[in-house]
Amino acid sequence: MRHNSILRSGLVAVAFALASNAVGAQATTSNPSASSAWGGPHTIEGYYTHYRLDTSGDDRLGMHGLGGRLMWNGSLRFAGLESLPSRTAIGVFAEYAPSQDRGFSIVHAGAQGDVRLASSPLFGRLTPIASLAAGALWTDVQDASRAIATGFPLGTRRTTTLAITPALGLRLGLWRELGLRADVRDVMTFRHRTLNNWQFATGLSLAF
């Protein structure tokens, strides 16, 4: 099984930020921190994504796609209790990469948790973020011979595998609640063997 630096960095950053928030969080009867920490109680993001898929050879397989996220920011209330520290956010995401003459397409979807690594934006605009996602990665094979030739492990029609994705990102505030976010991720899949599929994403982020 192969491990790389983004996995360790992402998990350590998430654990450290969650622990520091849990120690410093105070119970309140309202939710004022969501606006100050994230700019609003929700964030919607649309982004371009580029996969560098782990294949059986030395070269990685490149694929382009689009994705979107919807996040619930700051402290969430459940039964009158603060269930998450103000620097955290949870939500859902979905991504699609069409065939692009590779012989197969990809759908990646699941749940994601984000942690802001600084209590306030650096230089007033830059917000470093660590995240961890869990979901499924589906591959739909349209041309079996071409798909197999890519070296990416596939079945002959459709495959589904668990995907765990640690990531590090950076959000740049542009104007009011609008920002530009970029992420580097490791989409880890576990079909036949552990694969570390690099993913680079960038797009617009709007808090509301």
Side-chain angles (χ1 to χ4, degrees):
M1 180 182 298
R2 292 182 296 166
H3 300 279
N4 50 42
S5 59
I6 188 172
L7 172 60
R8 294 190 295 269
S9 300
L11 292 177
V12 170
V14 169
F16 176 78
L18 280 172
S20 63
N21 271 291
V23 172
Q26 297 179 351
T28 60
T29 58
S30 61
N31 188 16
S33 57
S35 178
S36 61
W38 294 95
H42 310 90
T43 299
I44 187 169
E45 297 174 333
Y47 53 90
Y48 158 81
T49 181
H50 177 70
Y51 288 95
R52 300 295 295 173
L53 299 175
D54 194 351
T55 67
S56 57
D58 295 331
D59 296 331
R60 288 181 174 267
L61 177 66
M63 292 187 75
H64 307 283
L66 297 174
R69 271 188 300 267
L70 176 62
M71 306 295 291
W72 285 262
N73 303 326
S75 300
L76 299 183
R77 296 181 62 81
F78 178 76
L81 300 176
E82 298 287 345
S83 59
L84 285 177
S86 62
R87 280 199 263 172
T88 61
I90 60 173
V92 293
F93 72 93
E95 301 166 349
Y96 174 68
S99 173
Q100 303 155 52
D101 295 327
R102 304 299 190 188
F104 67 99
S105 58
I106 288 177
V107 174
H108 181 205
Q112 179 173 322
D114 287 351
V115 178
R116 294 174 71 253
L117 299 181
S119 58
S120 60
L122 305 177
F123 309 106
R125 290 184 177 272
L126 295 175
T127 302
I129 300 170
S131 70
L132 184 63
L137 188 141
W138 293 272
T139 55
D140 187 5
V141 177
Q142 293 91 32
D143 185 332
S145 60
R146 179 171 294 181
I148 292 172
T150 66
F152 188 66
L154 295 161
T156 57
R157 289 185 179 272
R158 293 182 180 179
T159 61
T160 303
T161 182
L162 172 68
I164 303 296
T165 308
L168 293 174
L170 189 66
R171 186 182 189 276
L172 170 65
L174 297 177
W175 180 74
R176 293 183 181 271
E177 312 304 339
L178 181 66
L180 180 67
R181 176 170 172 172
D183 291 88
V184 178
R185 307 183 184 125
D186 180 8
V187 183
M188 301 175 62
T189 58
F190 307 94
R191 182 180 174 85
H192 303 309
R193 62 186 178 92
T194 300
L195 300 178
N196 297 102
N197 303 292
W198 289 102
Q199 184 187 28
F200 307 93
T202 184
L204 294 177
S205 171
L206 177 65
F208 63 97

